[in-house]
Amino acid sequence: MIAAAGLNWVRLPLPFWAIEKYADEPFLERVSWTYFLKAIEWARKYGIRINLDFHALPGSQNGWNHSGKLGQINFLNGVMGVANAQRALDYIRILAEFISQPEYKDVVPFFGIVNEPRSGDAYPASAIQAFYAEAYRIIRNAGGQGAGNGPFISIHEAFQGLANFADFLTGADRLALDSHPYLAFGAMTADPVESFVTVPCTTWGNLFSDSLNTFGMTTAGEWSHAINDCGLYLNAVGRGTRYEGTFESTVAIGSCDTWNDYASWTQATKDALKQFSMSSMDALQNWFFWTWRIGESSATGKVMTPFWSYKLALQEGWAPTDPREAAGQCSRLGVDIGSFSGTLQSWQVGGAGAGTIPTLDTYPWPPASIGGAEGAAAVAALPVYTRTGDIVTLPGPTFSSAPTAGVGNGWANAADTTPMAVPIAGCTYPDPWDALSAVAPACATAGTAGAVKREAAPAPAPTAMP
């Protein structure tokens, strides 16, 4: 149905526990990986490409429930901030090695390496940029340099705004910038759907056009049809909604009953919502809707978060049956969203000059400061893991009979033999999910005997000029 809807990509979220978990982490290890392998098979069958989205990182990169745990941010923040980032980089490496194999690289040619890192609130932008730079080195080391070698690397703008990344790692080989524009989590209003039709064009259009022209490939990795935050459990179970004034310290605007009951929507509401949908598509240009399907409630038999289901929108008529209908929507509404020529520079797509990055060395790993530890000396006093662990690889699919094609061995670059970062034997670390006020163990700080700090991964040579 996805291909029949005129969609040619899917963005698949994957948590770190698809690879492994530590003993006291309450996740199902590797279960999601088996479904990811099924998704690869389905995508290959129907001509769909996959944007692999690394959605949940050790310690939580944003403190939201979809990062693994609601509450503290312990990635690049607090006592375990560097150690959790070490784990995350290893998992990025493992995923990059798998999808860079010839059996998968054409089906999974896009890799979003951190979903919605919450810089500013918990850690400085410079910290996540240093993390991005190190992840870039690691991924290019795994898959190689130039078009066809490893995936596009997608980085989220970390809530700093697209414009603030305009000159980040200029010259990088196939680096994409991601942003998630939503109306649902901002100021609430009781205005009718008709009043929102031009909002994507006036609010987002020029931002995305400008980023395409300055940074390069830019995507909206998430958006939805939501004009408010109504929807069953949208903000997590039991947390209420901004619209009804039951989420944190918000003021009630109205009831969500009507917005949750799409069967009661008038045709005029559906028509206006379809216009809003097409405005969003046109303004964002390269986009991934969140999400394809919301399951039906066992209590009502209906979807109770209707703004967020693309499948339901197609079924009920508030999304276009062919997304190409959206082309030129903003112009038809009288809104100029700027222009993009449609052609990226050669180095931006892995061609001549790709990988010539004058600023790469200005982003060392680990970063000079993280949340709660400002300055190199403070960062050096934090606990780290040691690089003595066995390399973890991910398996390919299994078949009931002998396959006619290879499934790979999980590792694209046989020369990539650096051990994994693991806890130092005999050293007791703070809880990596609850360490903001913990005491750093002396046995695990950088420079302690037996602790090996991660050095920056080597970057491959740039693609030669013709």
Side-chain angles (χ1 to χ4, degrees):
M1 293 182 68
I2 293 174
L7 306 175
N8 52 10
W9 283 78
V10 293
R11 178 174 178 260
L12 290 184
L14 205 65
F16 75 85
W17 56 90
I19 302 168
E20 68 172 11
K21 69 180 185 71
Y22 283 1
D24 55 350
E25 292 177 327
F27 306 116
L28 294 175
E29 184 177 84
R30 295 252 173 140
V31 173
S32 55
W33 181 252
T34 64
Y35 289 95
F36 181 71
L37 293 176
K38 291 179 185 292
I40 291 176
E41 294 180 47
W42 296 330
R44 195 190 307 274
K45 179 178 180 179
Y46 293 104
I48 293 172
R49 297 294 175 262
I50 293 174
N51 171 4
L52 170 55
D53 157 41
F54 195 28
H55 209 81
L57 277 61
S60 177
Q61 73 275 18
N62 53 37
W64 294 321
N65 57 354
H66 51 74
S67 70
K69 184 181 180 182
L70 182 67
Q72 291 185 10
I73 300 172
N74 285 275
F75 165 83
L76 292 178
N77 186 46
V79 173
M80 290 297 286
V82 172
N84 279 324
Q86 283 182 292
R87 280 183 75 188
L89 287 168
D90 270 349
Y91 298 148
I92 286 171
R93 175 187 174 204
I94 292 166
L95 292 170
E97 288 284 0
F98 186 91
I99 65 174
S100 296
Q101 295 177 103
E103 294 87 355
Y104 308 103
K105 65 184 182 67
D106 295 324
V107 184
V108 194
F110 215 83
F111 186 8
I113 57 176
V114 186
N115 177 66
E116 297 181 350
R118 202 167 159 188
S119 71
D121 287 343
Y123 42 86
S126 59
I128 192 63
Q129 288 179 333
F131 183 88
Y132 286 162
E134 180 65 355
Y136 173 88
R137 297 181 187 102
I138 288 169
I139 295 169
R140 289 291 167 250
N141 185 57
Q145 194 83 35
N149 297 313
F152 253 88
I153 301 169
S154 177
I155 58 172
H156 188 268
E157 41 86 0
F159 302 101
Q160 299 296 316
L162 291 170
N164 285 317
F165 278 81
D167 58 358
F168 179 67
L169 296 189
T170 299
D173 175 21
R174 293 165 295 151
L175 190 64
L177 187 58
D178 179 33
S179 186
H180 300 172
Y182 285 123
L183 300 182
F185 306 117
M188 296 291 106
T189 173
D191 292 346
V193 178
E194 289 82 356
S195 69
F196 290 91
V197 169
T198 62
V199 170
C201 303
T202 57
T203 305
W204 303 327
N206 278 291
L207 292 176
F208 279 81
S209 291
D210 289 347
S211 185
L212 282 161
N213 286 318
T214 54
F215 178 88
M217 174 54 68
T218 305
T219 67
E222 295 180 18
W223 66 281
S224 78
H225 292 133
I227 59 171
N228 55 51
D229 70 336
C230 292
L232 183 65
Y233 305 144
L234 178 65
N235 294 304
V237 176
R239 300 200 75 200
T241 67
R242 296 165 181 81
Y243 194 77
E244 294 178 307
T246 54
F247 178 83
E248 297 180 354
S249 56
T250 52
V251 178
I253 300 297
S255 170
C256 282
D257 290 349
T258 297
W259 296 117
N260 292 348
D261 182 16
Y262 66 88
S264 70
W265 295 357
T266 66
Q267 189 59 48
T269 293
K270 293 181 179 181
D271 290 345
L273 202 54
K274 180 178 179 180
Q275 293 301 307
F276 172 80
S277 177
M278 293 199 297
S279 296
S280 299
M281 293 175 182
D282 191 38
L284 301 177
Q285 303 178 56
N286 306 298
W287 50 264
F288 297 85
F289 187 90
W290 186 279
T291 183
W292 165 249
R293 178 188 176 188
I294 300 291
E296 292 76 15
S297 165
S298 60
T300 67
K302 297 190 300 184
V303 174
M304 297 301 294
T305 316
F307 283 137
W308 298 79
S309 175
Y310 197 94
K311 182 175 181 286
L312 181 69
L314 286 171
Q315 171 188 310
E316 298 295 325
W318 65 81
T321 55
D322 183 347
R324 291 174 296 185
E325 293 178 40
Q329 168 79 347
C330 291
S331 179
R332 291 192 292 271
L333 294 172
V335 180
D336 180 8
I337 61 171
S339 61
F340 170 59
S341 67
T343 302
L344 296 170
Q345 297 185 54
S346 177
W347 56 268
Q348 293 173 328
V349 293
T356 303
I357 314 172
T359 61
L360 184 60
D361 289 342
T362 65
Y363 298 97
W365 183 257
S369 295
I370 68 166
E374 185 174 348
V379 171
L382 298 175
V384 294
Y385 294 137
T386 179
R387 292 211 159 266
T388 57
D390 294 337
I391 290 177
V392 176
T393 60
L394 290 166
T398 57
F399 301 92
S400 57
S401 58
T404 57
V407 298
N409 65 0
W411 209 253
N413 181 7
D416 183 2
T417 58
T418 302
M420 297 291 173
V422 295
I424 297 170
C427 185
T428 301
Y429 289 78
D431 180 347
W433 296 86
D434 185 15
L436 297 188
S437 58
V439 176
C443 55
T445 57
T448 300
V452 181
K453 189 167 62 176
R454 169 73 177 174
E455 299 298 334
T463 303
M465 298 290 286

